[in-house]
Amino acid sequence: AQRVTQPEKLLSVFKGAPVELKCNYSYSGSPELFWYVQYSRQRLQLLLRHISRESIKGFTADLNKGETSFHLKKPFAQEEDSAMYYCALLTGGGNKLTFGTGTQLKVEL
Amino acid sequence: GAVVSQHPSWVICKSGTSVKIECRSLDFQATTMFWYRQFPKQSLMLMATSNEGSKATYEQGVEKDKFLINHASLTLSTLTVTSAHPEDSSFYICSARFSGANVLTFGAGSRLTVL
């Protein structure tokens, strides 16, 4: 069965510091991975997906099949990055999106 | 961009009553809609997947007679919590996917409190 693990419930960093939100997955097939973000009092929204290989709001994530990881990174954290971040794995022909438990990122001044 | 509207955003009901939550795709046709449940400080758990015009596929452990899902059109899916009990109190979130896309658009969620 597929599984997504986000080991950190809370990550607190200072403004300007680098950020890395960890995500590991378990899936026997070819994975399609996403990062979703939920800002305070807002709905869940897509941040980025691995097949796009793009940078959104300064965030990047590289799929490492050898380590089964899809860590989210940003070189310099901003206050507005404070939010809940979920890593998600799409399987079942696109019919099942499995979420990790989420990491609350807090950027302090 | 694609927008998913969920209604109501907050509902309180008495134990034993049924509650219906609507999920609408506003500017696209959603061939597939998904219903999630989220407990406080926990992740989203997929409850069921519904395709327009067919029966929903429920995840293991989710009672289909308890959580009735109807996806009668390409823009509307409903979740009815039947004979609700306090343990059904939770945050219910729908999401939708249009044909050919592997990106889900989420509704804002509906908070159900059963007294």
Side-chain angles (χ1 to χ4, degrees), chain B residues 2-40:
Chain B
V3 176
V4 172
S5 172
Q6 227 178 300
H7 178 80
S9 56
W10 192 21
V11 57
I12 300 174
C13 70
K14 292 183 178 180
S15 186
T17 60
S18 295
V19 174
K20 180 185 283 188
I21 300 169
E22 291 187 349
C23 178
R24 293 181 185 273
S25 58
L26 295 187
D27 51 7
F28 66 99
Q29 293 185 326
T31 51
T32 308
M33 286 188 171
F34 306 85
W35 286 94
Y36 289 85
R37 183 173 182 176
Q38 185 177 33
F39 291 102

Side-chain angles (χ1 to χ4, degrees), chain A residues 22-37:
Chain A
K22 291 184 167 53
C23 172
N24 287 88
Y25 66 92
S26 173
Y27 180 54
S28 57
S30 184
E32 187 167 354
L33 286 143
F34 302 79
W35 276 98
Y36 281 83
V37 61

Side-chain angles (χ1 to χ4, degrees), chain B residues 44-71:
Chain B
L44 287 78
M45 301 298 296
L46 180 64
M47 298 175 66
T49 302
S50 73
N51 292 293
E52 185 264 338
S54 60
K55 289 185 178 180
T57 302
Y58 289 81
E59 293 298 299
Q60 192 172 13
V62 178
E63 299 175 60
K64 60 181 180 181
D65 295 330
K66 173 80 172 170
F67 300 100
L68 299 178
I69 291 172
N70 184 280
H71 191 165

Side-chain angles (χ1 to χ4, degrees), chain A residues 13-19 39 57-59 74-83 85 105-109:
Chain A
V13 301
F14 286 107
K15 179 181 174 181
V19 173
Y39 299 102
K57 299 184 179 182
F59 284 97
K74 183 169 182 175
F76 308 104
Q78 302 297 314
E79 192 180 358
E80 56 267 27
D81 296 329
S82 294
Y85 291 81
L105 175 64
K106 185 177 179 183
V107 180
E108 299 181 80
L109 298 174

Side-chain angles (χ1 to χ4, degrees), chain B residues 95-115:
Chain B
S95 67
R97 176 170 69 104
F98 54 86
S99 180
N102 273 347
V103 175
L104 273 62
T105 302
F106 284 82
S110 300
R111 184 163 302 284
L112 170 64
T113 301
V114 184
L115 302 176

Side-chain angles (χ1 to χ4, degrees), chain A residues 2 6 9 32 34 36 38 42-46 49 51 84 86-87 90 92-102, chain B residues 3-6 32 34 36 38 41-46 49 51 59 91 93 97 101-109:
Chain A
Q2 61 277 5
Q6 291 179 253
K9 278 192 173 181
E32 187 167 354
F34 302 79
Y36 281 83
Q38 189 169 29
Q42 294 187 29
R43 68 186 65 194
L44 204 62
Q45 56 186 280
L46 177 68
R49 52 193 302 198
I51 63 173
M84 190 73 169
Y86 292 96
C87 182
L90 187 67
N95 272 340
K96 183 164 185 173
L97 190 63
T98 302
F99 285 88
T101 49
Chain B
V3 176
V4 172
S5 172
Q6 227 178 300
T32 308
F34 306 85
Y36 289 85
Q38 185 177 33
K41 299 186 186 297
Q42 294 189 30
S43 188
L44 287 78
M45 301 298 296
L46 180 64
T49 302
N51 292 293
E59 293 298 299
F91 196 54
I93 305 170
R97 176 170 69 104
N102 273 347
V103 175
L104 273 62
T105 302
F106 284 82

